[in-house]
Amino acid sequence: MKFTIANALQIPIVSQCNVVAGLKGVNREIESVNSFDAPDVTSWLKPRELVLTTGYVFQNKPQQLEQLVNELAQKQCAGLAIKLNVPQTVISIANNMHLPILQIPSQLSLSDIMSPVLREIVTRQNHQREINDDTPSTIRIFSENPIHKHIELIESKAIDLQKDVGCICVVVEISLAGHQEYHFSTIKQISQTIESIIRNADFDNIVEIIGDTLVIIFQNQNSVGTTEIYGMTAYLAQQIISTLSLQIPELPCVIGIGNYHEGKNRLTKSYEQSVKSIEVGKRLGSEKAVYCFNELEPLILLQYAPTTLLADFVSSNLRPLLEHDTLADTDLVNTLEVFLQSNLGPSEAARRMNVHRNTIHSRIKSIKEILNTDLSSDKNLFNLQLALHARHLLK
């Protein structure tokens, strides 16, 4: 049975939304839910997807919102739910396109809408599986036997793996520490939510549960280029993090993405890389929730350097700054790291550190003087970034 906009509006909390446009399209089917607050994600949106946004990025930019509505209609998305007041020009376009626009009341958040809609989608999918036992499920549940924690078993058994098709492995690690009330059934529900997010991707996918970790295997059956594979995988990973952070904010999740591989042992290689990317990403002290092996690969090589070599490199590049922080109780090393992570943007660094922009300017000036270095030099920047990463590995 199809789940439509009209069905969603029967959910009590969703019923508080007003259909301000596209009333003739309320029978559009919803297969997944997406949320965003950036204007450049429309290329990743999928048919039958309900799109949620605060709309603040379109404030005073009605032309961009008009373009969004046109693109959603062209992509056959289910509809748009938005908190921003919708201009009449946008309403007219949506009416012509029969694209429903739901006005989210100010007292509701995006998660208030997303969670019950996703829950209903998953419930209906599970019910359909129970009705049709012949429908092959992409979710396989592994027992808690430790031997099943080895991904090689998945590959050796060739569970749903297509022969001679390249694949990329994504690991979703869920932190259950201190949350004993969450049992295996909860992990299974999370896997079903993930499946609803990725089901319309351009790849065949398999979701495996291994303890408190979920393994997603994307198979490139359509021979998509590697650039698009990495882009789509990273986008889906961010969508998973966004959705789960709204749905279960008390259970932190982190994702590792391995490299794309073809040929023998392709899955094992990609899986090991995705696990390694999480391990190294955590040790680097980054605030990110998604780590890509191909981005971390140069830093992973640092792990194999002798500890004394790493310590000497950190000392030669950061020692004056480390000593200054200790003696003067300042935070200059952390400021430098955030500044570099912000692509040398003082405004972004200030936002991340929750300080004034002028504070960042003042600190960077002090950093340059203490280290006697030029931050416009690519070589100096590379050495400082490498030293900061090595410092985390030494902790």
Side-chain angles (χ1 to χ4, degrees):
M1 181 186 298
K2 292 200 305 182
F3 178 58
T4 65
I5 294 287
N7 296 139
L9 287 167
Q10 294 176 8
I11 300 172
I13 196 165
V14 182
S15 68
Q16 297 180 46
C17 297
N18 292 322
V19 181
V20 296
L23 189 60
K24 292 182 179 180
V26 293
N27 287 323
R28 284 177 178 252
E29 183 178 4
I30 305 174
E31 286 190 349
S32 59
V33 185
N34 201 337
S35 66
F36 75 92
D37 269 313
D40 56 351
V41 298
T42 53
S43 59
W44 302 111
L45 299 178
K46 302 171 292 189
R48 297 176 294 282
E49 189 162 56
L50 176 62
V51 179
L52 278 60
T53 178
T54 62
Y56 297 139
V57 70
F58 302 110
Q59 199 161 24
N60 302 321
K61 298 176 182 177
Q63 294 84 1
Q64 289 189 13
L65 187 54
E66 291 168 13
Q67 182 181 349
L68 172 68
V69 169
N70 274 307
E71 292 182 0
L72 293 183
Q74 291 169 10
K75 287 181 174 291
Q76 298 182 339
C77 291
L80 173 68
I82 185 169
K83 290 182 70 71
L84 188 73
N85 288 330
V86 183
Q88 187 58 48
T89 54
V90 175
I91 291 175
S92 298
I93 293 172
N95 282 333
N96 290 334
M97 298 284 191
H98 297 173
L99 181 81
I101 297 182
L102 280 58
Q103 186 87 57
I104 303 174
S106 59
Q107 71 270 19
L108 298 182
S109 66
L110 297 188
S111 61
D112 289 332
I113 305 299
M114 175 178 281
S115 296
V117 173
L118 275 174
R119 192 179 307 117
E120 184 65 24
I121 291 172
V122 171
T123 299
R124 287 175 179 248
Q125 288 174 353
N126 291 342
H127 180 63
Q128 185 60 39
R129 290 192 185 102
E130 292 172 2
I131 293 174
N132 185 2
D133 291 333
D134 294 330
T135 301
S137 172
T138 60
I139 299 176
R140 303 296 196 278
I141 310 303
F142 274 46
S143 73
E144 287 300 309
N145 190 320
I147 193 171
H148 287 143
K149 290 187 179 293
H150 296 287
I151 199 70
E152 289 89 343
L153 285 180
I154 300 177
E155 188 149 30
S156 65
K157 290 181 179 180
I159 298 177
D160 282 355
L161 290 180
Q162 299 179 24
K163 187 177 181 181
D164 300 325
V165 172
C167 68
I168 188 167
C169 191
V170 176
V171 168
V172 183
E173 184 181 280
I174 303 165
S175 178
L176 294 178
H179 295 282
Q180 288 78 13
E181 70 274 19
Y182 290 93
H183 302 294
F184 187 70
S185 59
T186 303
I187 305 300
K188 183 177 179 180
Q189 290 172 5
I190 293 172
S191 73
Q192 291 165 345
T193 297
I194 290 174
E195 188 185 32
S196 72
I197 296 171
I198 66 177
R199 64 180 300 177
N200 291 324
D202 289 335
F203 317 112
D204 278 352
N205 55 73
I206 305 167
V207 180
E208 302 284 350
I209 298 178
I210 308 179
D212 57 1
T213 297
L214 291 98
V215 180
I216 308 169
I217 305 163
F218 291 110
Q219 301 183 89
N220 187 21
Q221 80 282 4
N222 293 327
S223 300
V224 176
T226 53
T227 300
E228 187 175 348
I229 289 172
Y230 285 124
M232 176 63 83
T233 305
Y235 170 77
L236 291 171
Q238 290 291 353
Q239 287 304 309
I240 290 169
I241 289 293
S242 298
T243 302
L244 294 182
S245 64
L246 290 172
Q247 203 172 29
I248 46 166
E250 67 275 15
L251 290 182
C253 299
V254 64
I255 292 179
I257 302 175
N259 283 349
Y260 174 75
H261 289 280
E262 298 176 342
K264 188 177 180 181
N265 299 325
R266 60 196 185 282
L267 175 56
T268 302
K269 292 175 183 175
S270 189
Y271 171 78
E272 290 174 346
Q273 290 170 342
S274 59
V275 172
K276 178 62 73 174
S277 64
I278 292 176
E279 175 190 330
V280 173
K282 286 181 174 179
R283 291 180 66 185
L284 291 176
S286 171
E287 295 180 356
K288 294 170 61 177
V290 177
Y291 300 104
C292 301
F293 186 84
N294 61 348
E295 296 176 359
L296 291 173
E297 203 160 8
L299 307 177
I300 289 172
L301 296 175
L302 285 176
Q303 290 192 117
Y304 302 102
T307 301
T308 53
L309 183 64
L310 292 178
D312 288 344
F313 189 77
V314 171
S315 178
S316 63
N317 285 278
L318 296 175
R319 182 174 54 80
L321 207 58
L322 291 166
E323 290 177 348
H324 185 279
D325 274 356
T326 300
L327 294 173
D329 194 25
T330 53
D331 194 27
L332 296 183
V333 173
N334 183 45
T335 299
L336 174 62
E337 186 163 26
V338 173
F339 184 65
L340 296 180
Q341 290 173 351
S342 304
N343 296 318
L344 311 186
S347 296
E348 175 61 18
R351 185 192 67 80
R352 292 187 182 191
M353 299 192 73
N354 196 28
V355 298
H356 194 275
R357 187 172 183 269
N358 290 342
T359 302
I360 297 296
H361 281 297
S362 175
R363 290 182 184 180
I364 295 302
K365 181 181 178 182
S366 298
I367 289 169
K368 290 178 181 178
E369 293 173 352
I370 294 169
L371 292 179
N372 190 27
T373 190
D374 177 13
L375 293 184
S376 64
S377 164
D378 289 342
K379 179 181 178 182
N380 291 346
L381 289 174
F382 176 79
N383 286 343
L384 289 172
Q385 287 175 322
L386 207 60
L388 289 165
H389 290 314
R391 176 170 169 263
H392 284 295
L393 293 175
L394 288 169
K395 289 181 179 179

